[in-house]
Amino acid sequence: MALLVHLLAKFHEQTGIRVTDDAAVDTLRNAVEVAKITLSTQDRAVVDIPQFYAGKALTHTLQRSEVHSVWGTLFERAIWPVQQVLDISGYARSEVDQIVLVGGTTRIPFIRKMMHDFFDKEPNWRVDPDQAVAWGTALQAGIMTDAKGIKVAATEHWKSTALRCNPLARPHRISQPTISE
């Protein structure tokens, strides 16, 4: 979203026109997604939309450094949940054997570098991020539906019993009484 807003502001600076059309914004949103994917493997990406809005084209070359400045605070906030997991689990950074990054954002080279710097270890790149997310979703679904064995496996390795996840503490379905005739 921040990159989309940034490019809309650039368009306004260049043309003096504020974009109010949802279709134009959607077109730009799609172009930004393509640019983000390109920036995962290259240093620059061109966003080029002829006839973007009010007969004007939007053309802008995004550099990784520009994207880092736009997303700077978002990048900094990425460390917080990692630190929270370490705090809750009672593990120190040095006790973490392996860092596996999954999901779309982890394809951003700066995020990879941040995690490398935070743990002073190279993250694992052998895991297919999309497959890992699918496995995690399946695991969570198993926990939520009381699949046998999954809730035990998901909680047995926590060091601190005070902060241990308690699957029985979550609300359960209440069985409806049956009416017999």
Side-chain angles (χ1 to χ4, degrees), residues 4-74:
L4 176 76
V5 171
H6 174 72
L7 289 174
L8 287 171
K10 288 284 187 189
F11 182 78
H12 178 66
E13 285 174 19
Q14 293 170 353
T15 64
I17 300 170
R18 290 198 187 278
V19 178
T20 58
D21 180 47
D22 290 342
V25 173
D26 284 341
T27 300
L28 179 57
R29 183 176 290 113
N30 291 334
V32 165
E33 288 301 317
V34 170
K36 286 171 24 182
I37 292 167
T38 301
L39 287 168
S40 295
T41 57
Q42 299 175 22
D43 290 333
R44 70 184 72 186
V46 177
V47 175
D48 185 17
I49 307 171
Q51 300 294 319
F52 170 61
Y53 185 72
K56 304 282 185 185
L58 185 151
T59 302
H60 186 77
T61 301
L62 285 167
Q63 305 287 339
R64 269 194 192 155
S65 59
E66 179 182 4
V67 172
H68 292 171
S69 69
V70 170
W71 285 343
T73 56
L74 294 173

Side-chain angles (χ1 to χ4, degrees), residues 7 49 66 72 86 89 106-108 131 140 142 173 178:
L7 289 174
I49 307 171
E66 179 182 4
L86 290 173
S89 68
T106 63
R107 293 182 179 106
I108 299 171
Q131 186 179 18
Q140 186 62 32
R173 281 178 260 156
T178 57

Side-chain angles (χ1 to χ4, degrees), residues 82-95:
V82 175
Q83 186 62 54
Q84 290 295 305
V85 167
L86 290 173
D87 292 345
I88 289 171
S89 68
Y91 285 101
R93 294 180 203 183
S94 61
E95 293 178 287

